[in-house]
Each structure stands twice: as C-alpha cells, then as structure tokens.
C-alpha cells in the first residue's frame, strides 16, 4: 500500500505528534503532508519521512499559521494525493479536509473536532482582541460548514476518547471507534521506596482558559496549600488570584517536569480535556489525580483508586475534594497507579491502533452485499 499521513501542523511534539510517530512506526514508508512544519521542533523519527508542506509555509510559516485559519481549507485541498491507497488524517486542527482519490481509503484519527469553531468558540472569541473577534465572527460560519461537509470525505473515524466520539456524532453525525492515545511509560517511574513525595500539589500543561487553572489556584490559596503551576500562558489576572503558597514556574524542560510528576502530592485537573495525557503521565509516576468529573478524565482516572473526582467546576468543589484526598492519601499506592497507566502504554496503543486500522481496511475491501 502507498500510505499518506496528513497532520494538521508540525510545530512541536505534543500528544498529536506522539500519535503521528506511532503511525510512522506502523507505516515506515509513508509520506507526511502538513500545513506548516518547523523541522527544528520535531523528532528525528518524523524527519525521516518525506514531509510535504502547503503554500502556508511560504506566506506565513510557523510564526503566523494560527492567523491563517480561513486559508487552511484551500491549503489542505491543494495537496495532490493521487495514487495513495490509504490516507490517515490526524485531526485536531483541520486535517481531514484533504481530497482523497476515488479508490483510496481515508481514516481519520480525531483528537478533537476544531474546538475553536465548535464548543469552545465563545471562550476563544472572548479572549481575542477586537480585530480577531471580528474576523472570527466573519469566518466561523463558513468554516463550520466546510468542517461538516469534509466529514463526508472520511470513510472511518477513530476517536481518541469516548468523549470525542460523542462530539464527532454531534457535529458530524458520524460514528467513531475509540482508541485511547499512548503514554510513554518508559519515561516515568514512581519514587523509590526510600523517597517521600513533596508537600505541594501540581498543575501542569499549557495554560489556556478552558483548563480552568484559576480553580486550583483559588482552592490552594484558600486552604493555604502549596501549589506549583508548570506551563506557559499564565496571565496577570491569574497571578493576581494567587496567594503566597502558589508558585508559577512557566515552561520547564522534560526532566524537571518528570521530577515534579513523581514528587507532587497529587495533580489538580480542573478543566475538561478531550482525553488528557498529563493525568496518565502523573499516574505513571506513582501520584494520584484530583479531577473534574467530565471529559477524558472519566476514561483515565478511577475514582478512589487512582484519584478522586469532584462534580462541580468550582473552587468550593475542589476545596472539598482536596480535603477528601488528604483524609485518604495513604490509600493511594504508587504501584497500582503505575500499573493502571501501563494499560495506556505506547506498545498497547500501537497494537490496538494497528488492529483497528486493519479491521477497517478489511471492511472497506469487502464487496458490498
């Protein structure tokens, strides 16, 4: 088979790019198509493949690609995918909007329908400047129409969580199979028996409005508990909410992040994620998660065993959850947490994804009737 992998953009190595790496393992001769690519920001594994970028690379490149959302449909449809037997699009920004050949099978691994034109559109619009808000208001309706229409160019959807599968059904009226994305278990380990965790809670990841980090900041400030916040994007307003027990570290290197995963009392996870890889990485490091009971957390956190849920997205609910956690902290075992995260290991994901793709190809090749 001649295989094409279509990824929205390659400007870093986050969860979507880790999935793309697994697809590269499954299809070592595949070609990669992407809107823009920063070669200095991606792995050697990806760079071993032939990477084709769109015309957006020349007119804005990696610096301004987010401002060129209205041009992305034209850029995706400009890719020539003639002769490819299997096309796998990796969708979070627009990627499924390519035009497949009449005999090609198009499978979309959907990390999320575009949140900034669907469920999180009001939040992104409210956080934008006046000119950007105007442009969003003008462009969003046509982008939604294009996004829905291009869902019919996909033969089969694979979602990274049941939560995303429901959103695919709501927006596209399509059914999706679920294959949870991977956590690289080899990178994370619990503390040695002779070590003790620190006296602080942790929030980690890029800080955006929908992650609701302010709930964790306010809860720890109210309780006088130490909180370490890792990730870029902390606004002045967020910092003003913080009391003296809250520390913002900004972006850190992988080694520092991994160390905090294993040393924290627990991860505070007040937002709603499509899946959420950080909770699994923290569990792989032997530490529990206190999470808002919605979204992907419901598929990764086992209440009372690998963490605790709170059911209202409020500071008071998190304060109550922290109190319940501290009363039961000794019951969370690092070996149980690590073993649970192991069920999402990269090797497990690779096997499940290969099996699912093979089964979908078999369905596609089966004669009608």
């Amino acid at each position: 088979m001649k295989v094409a992998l279509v990824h929205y953009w390659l400007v870093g190595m986050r969860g979507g790019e880790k999935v793309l790496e697994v697809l590269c393992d499954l299809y070592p001769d595949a070609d990669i198509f992407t809107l823009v690519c920063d070669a200095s920001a991606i792995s050697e594994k990806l760079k071993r493949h032939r990477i084709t970028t769109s015309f957006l690379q020349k007119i804005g490149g990696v610096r301004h690609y987010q401002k060129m959302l209205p041009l992305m449909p034209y850029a995706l449809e400009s890719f020539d995918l003639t002769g490819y037997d299997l096309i796998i699009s990796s969708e979070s920004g627009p990627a499924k909007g390519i035009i497949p050949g009449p005999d090609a099978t198009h499978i979309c691994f959907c990390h999320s329908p575009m949140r900034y034109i669907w469920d999180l559109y009001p939040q992104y619009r409210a956080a934008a400047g006046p000119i950007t808000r105007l442009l969003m208001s003008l462009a969003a309706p046509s982008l939604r129409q294009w996004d829905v229409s291009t869902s019919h160019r996909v033969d089969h959807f694979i979602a990274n969580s049941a939560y995303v599968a429901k959103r695919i059904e709501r927006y596209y009226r399509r059914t999706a199979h679920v294959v949870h994305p991977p956590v690289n278990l080899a990178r994370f380990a619990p503390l040695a028996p002779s070590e003790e965790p620190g006296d602080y809670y942790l929030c980690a990841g890029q800080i955006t409005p929908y992650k609701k980090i302010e709930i964790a900041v306010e809860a720890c400030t109210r309780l006088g508990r130490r909180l370490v916040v890792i990730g870029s994007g902390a606004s002045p307003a967020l910092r003003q909410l913080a009391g003296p027990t809250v520390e913002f570290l900004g972006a850190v290197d992988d080694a520092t992040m991994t160390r905090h995963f294993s040393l924290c009392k627990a991860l505070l996870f007040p937002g709603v994620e499509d899946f959420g890889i950080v909770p699994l990485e923290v569990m792989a490091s032997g530490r529990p998660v206190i999470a808002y009971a919605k979204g992907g957390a419901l598929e990764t956190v086992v209440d009372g065993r690998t963490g605790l849920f709170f059911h209202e997205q409020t500071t008071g609910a998190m304060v109550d959850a922290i109190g319940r956690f501290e009363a039961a902290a000794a019951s969370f075992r690092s070996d149980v947490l690590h073993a649970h995260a192991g069920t999402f290991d990269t090797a497990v994901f690779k096997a499940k994804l290969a099996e699912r793709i093979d089964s979908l190809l078999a369905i596609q090749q089966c004669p009608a009737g």
Side-chain angles (χ1 to χ4, degrees), residues 102-121:
D103 298 320
T105 298
H106 179 191
I107 297 173
C108 175
F109 189 100
C110 186
H111 308 278
S112 173
M114 288 189 285
R115 305 184 91 180
Y116 33 85
I117 64 170
W118 291 111
D119 51 315
L120 293 186
Y121 172 74

Side-chain angles (χ1 to χ4, degrees), residues 83-98:
Y84 287 96
D85 305 295
L86 173 62
I87 301 167
I88 303 177
S89 55
S90 175
E91 172 84 342
S92 182
K96 71 181 188 309
I98 48 87

Side-chain angles (χ1 to χ4, degrees), residues 323-365:
R324 288 187 286 117
F325 167 75
E326 291 180 351
S331 65
F332 294 100
R333 292 173 43 189
S334 61
D335 59 332
V336 172
L337 289 155
H338 185 76
H340 173 69
T343 62
F344 297 85
D345 187 41
T346 300
V348 175
F349 169 72
K350 186 182 296 187
K352 288 183 177 180
L353 183 61
E355 180 181 11
R356 176 57 64 188
I357 291 174
D358 287 346
S359 69
L360 294 176
L361 287 173
I363 293 171
Q364 198 70 15
Q365 293 164 5

Side-chain angles (χ1 to χ4, degrees), residues 178-317:
V178 176
V179 179
H180 293 126
V183 56
N184 184 0
L185 202 66
R187 284 184 54 207
F188 308 98
L191 293 172
S194 59
E195 293 184 280
E196 292 288 335
D199 64 345
Y200 62 91
Y201 293 97
L202 180 70
C203 284
Q206 185 176 10
I207 300 171
T208 56
Y210 75 87
K211 294 190 177 183
K212 300 294 183 182
I213 302 298
E214 68 273 10
I215 290 176
V217 169
E218 290 180 326
C220 288
T221 297
R222 184 184 300 180
L223 290 170
R225 301 296 194 270
R226 282 192 64 204
L227 172 66
V228 173
V229 180
I230 294 177
S232 59
S235 66
L238 180 63
R239 292 176 183 273
Q240 287 176 2
L241 290 175
T245 61
V246 179
E247 181 180 7
F248 293 90
L249 298 187
V252 301
D253 57 47
D254 286 346
T256 302
M257 180 82 85
T258 301
R259 186 62 176 162
H260 280 292
F261 284 174
S262 61
L263 280 175
C264 67
K265 282 184 178 180
L267 177 76
L268 303 184
F269 198 70
V272 179
E273 293 276 7
D274 298 312
F275 179 68
I277 202 72
V278 170
L280 280 171
E281 292 176 340
V282 170
M283 285 184 269
S285 304
R287 305 311 306 154
V289 178
I290 301 173
Y292 176 49
K294 192 173 181 181
L298 291 173
E299 300 170 55
T300 58
V301 179
V302 182
D303 195 27
R305 184 173 172 83
T306 68
L308 291 176
F309 286 129
F310 58 98
H311 297 272
E312 294 179 3
Q313 205 174 28
T314 63
T315 300

